[in-house]
């Protein structure tokens, strides 16, 4: 074999080895404009909008030959891990939803429960592939202590299949047997434990996953749950939320359900796995495709319209969203690239007045905010934490003029009367230089640190140069989208030797300068001195 042939083979192997590692190289610069409409909020989210899930899956849960859950189950999770505790405390509070597929097989070891309290056992011939499992009260007590210590707000998903029979057509019929659930709720109250919301069932609405319950029956059962909560908590304040149905959106089913639950429901929850199966080889292409990302807006809009046109007082939540189902994909859903999808989802949910967004998962699978084995934060953890620190409750309608590869969202700032703009560049070669303008039909009060007198200026807004803004530039280590290390303003975000979450420090930029969004980067821009009517 000649030298030239060897060189070609070596080159081919090198290209093949790194073909799936996208390295940023910037060769092009484009200009653009972010238009923020600040007269009124287009959507309002909960103060604790950021939510994450804890699941029941045992270590035997495997997908596509990979077992990605280890000891991340509610039943075996290490609650003494320092990083884990610190990671939750940083959100002050983090809303945690306990639930998942196996929740509809869980019994609770309350004093009146006569069955033995046994763990889930794998059995592929059974519904969901597992036997019934049990939550020991000793374990619940540990969990309650953990949630209290870390300041978490808990949403607990109840078993909604109890008492029903599964028909040959896949439908679960009969009324919900709430005896064990009511006993568990009573145990919670009697022991002065705190659960902030009770959610009924998991993925049983519409066509269901594994089995389904008709909307009219589900509404009857939800009313029964409301009656239980009202009765058991009659002398307790605040009253927990009643939430449902915790499944995939079906317009006709949700319409019937919301109209028949009357005023018993506080929040209606749906699940999002819009990227397809974790085994899909094209996940990154979908994440970086603006047209693909836009598709989920249709469902957000549809649910919002159903709520507005029904008699319900319930608000919209995303109760579980992992993007790619069946545990996600290693080095994609736990890597830097996933923050493009995740932050876009948070932004889109806010615009459509979705009050809470629960990420699947806090830990477990390949889509955890935390690493399943060592608890260290994955990139999306930091994206969520920066969102929590900077993005306030009110979402402002925002558009971007320029390349289609920029995703843009704006909220009233959490820390000031100003605004925070989120910009994401899905292009691998183009640096975008953008200015922020307010809709020229609106007026802006521009406050300066040197003047207490407010003045008004028509857009385009030009700072007098006396103020600064804060910028948080997020990139992947070595420009590799598969990296599990996120850089903030060029510095790696890593916990220290005693498990502390690193500080999230901005760079300060003159307000007159345009915003630079590098290829494959995410930028949060906090503008404390830009005050619009919606945020005043």
């Amino acid at each position: 074999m000649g030298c030239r042939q060897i060189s070609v083979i070596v080159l081919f192997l090198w290209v093949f080895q790194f073909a799936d590692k996208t390295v940023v190289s910037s060769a092009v610069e484009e200009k653009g404009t972010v238009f923020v409409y600040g007269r009124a909020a287009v959507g309002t989210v909960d103060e604790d909008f950021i939510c994450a899930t804890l699941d029941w899956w045992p270590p035997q849960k495997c997908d596509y030959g990979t077992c990605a859950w280890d000891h991340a189950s509610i039943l075996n999770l290490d609650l003494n891990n320092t990083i884990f505790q610190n990671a939750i405390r940083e959100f002050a509070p983090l809303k945690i939803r306990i639930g998942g597929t196996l929740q509809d097989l869980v019994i609770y070891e309350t004093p009146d429960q006569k069955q033995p309290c046994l763990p889930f056992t794998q059995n592929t011939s059974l519904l969901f592939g597992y036997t019934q499992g049990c939550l020991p009260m000793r374990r619940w007590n540990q969990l309650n202590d953990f949630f209290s210590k870390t300041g978490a707000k808990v949403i607990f998903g109840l078993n909604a299949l109890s008492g029903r029979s599964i028909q040959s057509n896949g439908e679960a019929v009969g009324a919900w047997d709430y005896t064990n659930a009511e006993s568990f709720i009573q145990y919670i109250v009697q022991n002065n434990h705190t659960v902030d919301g009770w959610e009924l069932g998991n993925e049983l609405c519409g066509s269901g996953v594994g089995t389904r319950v008709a909307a009219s029956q589900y509404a009857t059962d939800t009313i029964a749950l409301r009656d239980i909560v009202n009765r058991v908590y009659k002398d307790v304040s605040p009253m927990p939320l009643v939430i449902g149905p915790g499944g995939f959106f079906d317009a006709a089913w949700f319409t019937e359900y919301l109209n028949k639950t009357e005023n018993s429901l506080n929040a209606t929850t749906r699940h999002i796995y819009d990227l397809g199966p974790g085994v899909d080889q094209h996940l990154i292409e979908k994440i970086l495709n603006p047209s693909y990302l836009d598709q989920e807006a249709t469902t957000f809009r549809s649910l919002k319209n159903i709520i507005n046109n029904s008699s319900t007082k319930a608000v919209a939540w995303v109760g579980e969203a992992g993007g790619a189902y069946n545990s996600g994909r290693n080095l994609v859903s736990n890597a830097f690239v996933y923050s493009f999808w995740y932050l876009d989802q948070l932004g889109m949910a806010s615009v459509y007045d979705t009050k809470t967004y629960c990420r699947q998962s806090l830990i477990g699978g390949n889509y955890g905010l935390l690493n399943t084995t060592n608890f260290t934060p994955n990139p999306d953890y930091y994206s969520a934490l920066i969102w929590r620190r900077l993005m306030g409750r009110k979402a402002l309608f925002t558009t971007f003029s320029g390349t289609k590869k920029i995703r843009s969202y704006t909220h009233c700032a959490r820390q000031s009367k100003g605004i925070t703009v989120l910009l994401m560049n899905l292009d691998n070669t183009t640096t975008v230089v953008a200015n922020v303008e307010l809709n020229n039909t609106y007026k802006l009060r521009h406050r300066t640190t040197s003047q207490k007198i407010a003045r008004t200026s028509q857009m385009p807004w030009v700072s007098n140069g006396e103020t600064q803004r804060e910028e948080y530039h997020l990139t992947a280590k070595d420009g590799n989208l598969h990296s599990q290390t996120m850089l903030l303003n060029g510095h790696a975000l890593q916990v220290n030797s005693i498990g502390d979450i690193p500080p999230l420090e901005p760079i300060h930029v003159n307000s007159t300068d345009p915003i630079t969004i590098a290829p494959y980067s995410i930028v949060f821009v906090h503008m404390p001195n830009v005050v619009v009517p919606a945020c005043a």
Side-chain angles (χ1 to χ4, degrees):
M1 185 181 294
C3 292
R4 179 173 295 181
Q5 289 176 295
I6 293 173
S7 298
V8 169
I9 291 171
V10 171
L11 177 61
F12 172 79
L13 290 174
W14 186 89
V15 171
F16 179 79
Q17 179 183 359
F18 291 96
D20 200 33
K21 296 183 178 179
T22 312
V23 178
V24 174
S25 60
S26 178
V28 182
E29 184 175 291
E30 287 188 18
K31 293 183 179 180
T33 305
V34 185
F35 291 99
V36 179
Y37 298 76
R39 176 66 68 186
V42 66
T44 305
V45 303
D46 286 341
E47 180 72 18
D48 47 10
F49 171 69
I50 297 290
C51 168
T53 67
L54 290 176
D55 214 306
W56 295 95
W57 289 121
Q60 294 76 27
K61 161 68 171 170
C62 304
D63 300 283
Y64 320 117
T66 301
C67 307
W69 285 86
D70 197 22
H71 285 66
S73 166
I74 292 156
L75 296 174
N76 58 32
L77 190 56
D78 179 8
L79 304 178
N80 295 315
N81 184 280
T82 301
I83 299 174
F84 190 34
Q85 294 179 7
N86 290 341
I88 295 173
R89 285 193 185 102
E90 287 292 321
F91 283 85
L94 178 66
K95 191 179 283 179
I96 295 178
R97 179 244 185 186
I98 295 176
T101 300
L102 299 187
Q103 83 178 50
D104 290 310
L105 298 178
V106 176
I107 60 172
Y108 318 108
E109 190 198 29
T110 52
D112 61 340
Q113 178 56 243
K114 304 306 180 186
Q115 298 183 54
C117 193
L118 301 175
F120 294 107
T121 303
Q122 203 165 26
N123 186 331
T124 54
S125 65
L126 299 176
L127 179 67
F128 307 135
Y130 287 86
T131 63
Q132 179 179 266
C134 177
L135 172 62
M137 288 303 93
R138 178 175 175 273
R139 178 59 174 178
W140 168 255
N141 294 340
Q142 294 170 349
L143 287 162
N144 177 76
D145 290 345
F146 173 78
F147 295 137
S148 178
K149 182 189 299 183
T150 57
K153 297 185 70 171
V154 179
I155 307 300
F156 194 98
L158 293 166
N159 178 349
L161 286 183
S162 181
R164 308 189 205 272
S165 59
I166 312 297
Q167 304 299 294
S168 58
N169 66 356
E171 186 167 359
V173 299
W176 176 46
D177 180 354
Y178 50 75
T179 308
N180 188 218
E182 181 173 8
S183 181
F184 180 48
I185 294 171
Q186 288 173 337
Y187 178 88
I188 297 289
V189 173
Q190 289 165 359
N191 288 275
N192 295 316
H193 295 172
T194 300
V195 168
D196 298 276
W198 295 99
E199 184 177 31
L200 183 62
N202 182 83
E203 298 179 353
L204 303 175
C205 56
S207 56
V209 176
T211 185
R212 63 186 183 275
V213 177
S216 57
Q217 180 62 59
Y218 218 111
T220 299
D221 300 330
T222 300
I223 293 170
L225 175 57
R226 166 54 71 193
D227 290 342
I228 292 168
V229 170
N230 287 349
R231 184 168 62 253
V232 177
Y233 285 88
K234 66 180 186 297
D235 297 321
V236 180
S237 182
M239 183 82 69
L241 304 175
V242 171
I243 303 165
F248 292 103
F249 181 73
D250 177 296
W253 196 100
F254 269 71
T255 299
E256 182 180 359
Y257 175 67
L258 290 175
N259 281 323
K260 289 184 175 179
T261 49
E262 300 169 347
N263 291 324
S264 63
L265 195 67
N266 296 111
T268 183
T269 45
R270 72 178 184 95
H271 294 180
I272 300 177
Y273 287 91
D274 58 325
L275 296 175
V279 74
D280 189 345
Q281 298 291 327
H282 302 286
L283 289 179
I284 289 183
E285 294 171 34
K286 293 177 179 178
I287 292 167
L288 299 177
N289 182 344
S291 297
Y292 192 93
L293 295 177
D294 284 340
Q295 292 176 15
E296 192 61 31
T298 302
T299 309
F300 278 112
R301 186 182 304 113
S302 181
L303 179 55
K304 181 180 179 181
N305 289 339
I306 289 171
I307 289 173
N308 290 342
N309 293 326
S310 76
S311 58
T312 188
K313 293 183 179 179
V315 297
W317 282 24
V318 171
E320 180 182 315
Y325 59 81
N326 289 343
S327 302
R329 183 178 181 86
N330 188 36
L331 299 182
V332 176
S333 51
N334 52 14
F336 177 82
V337 69
Y338 226 54
S339 281
F340 291 118
W341 170 80
Y342 181 39
L343 288 171
D344 193 69
Q345 281 281 300
L346 295 181
M348 188 180 295
S350 303
V351 167
Y352 287 100
D353 210 31
T354 306
K355 304 303 184 183
T356 288
Y357 192 104
C358 299
R359 167 63 178 263
Q360 173 83 343
S361 61
L362 176 55
I363 188 168
N366 288 315
Y367 38 36
L369 297 179
L370 305 176
N371 182 284
T372 304
T373 55
N374 62 23
F375 295 86
T376 59
N378 286 321
D380 280 3
Y381 171 86
Y382 293 113
S383 292
L385 186 57
I386 294 174
W387 176 289
R388 163 67 183 167
R389 300 269 178 89
L390 299 179
M391 304 292 264
R393 294 189 60 192
K394 295 179 180 179
L396 308 179
F397 185 68
T398 304
T399 61
F400 187 82
S401 175
T403 171
K404 302 295 185 186
K405 288 283 192 171
I406 291 288
R407 309 293 284 182
S408 58
Y409 297 97
T410 306
H411 279 230
C412 295
R414 183 178 294 274
Q415 302 172 347
S416 70
K417 290 184 178 180
I419 62 173
T420 300
V421 180
L422 167 61
L423 298 168
M424 294 177 280
N425 188 351
L426 306 182
D427 193 281
N428 70 331
T429 59
T430 303
T431 295
V432 177
V433 179
N435 289 300
V436 176
E437 294 189 8
L438 301 188
N439 183 330
N440 59 15
T441 63
Y442 300 152
K443 290 186 177 181
L444 150 78
R445 282 191 299 121
H446 181 200
R447 298 183 304 127
T448 71
T449 54
S450 60
Q451 290 179 297
K452 297 299 183 184
I453 301 172
R455 64 187 180 87
T456 304
S457 61
Q458 289 281 46
M459 290 309 295
W461 167 60
V462 179
S463 168
N464 62 9
E466 295 179 355
T467 59
Q468 290 187 322
R469 62 175 186 259
E470 298 171 345
E471 294 186 355
Y472 300 75
H473 293 257
L474 303 175
T475 53
K477 184 180 180 182
D478 300 325
N480 179 8
L481 292 182
H482 298 275
S483 176
Q484 293 178 293
T485 299
M486 175 178 271
L487 307 183
L488 170 58
N489 298 323
H491 302 287
L493 291 170
Q494 296 174 325
V495 297
N496 64 16
S497 59
I498 59 173
D500 293 330
I501 303 300
L504 304 175
E505 301 291 349
I507 57 172
H508 293 87
V509 179
N510 192 303
S511 296
T512 58
D513 294 342
I515 302 165
T516 299
I517 313 107
Y520 284 160
S521 76
I522 298 164
V523 186
F524 285 88
V525 185
H526 175 215
M527 300 175 159
N529 297 296
V530 177
V531 182
V532 296
C535 307

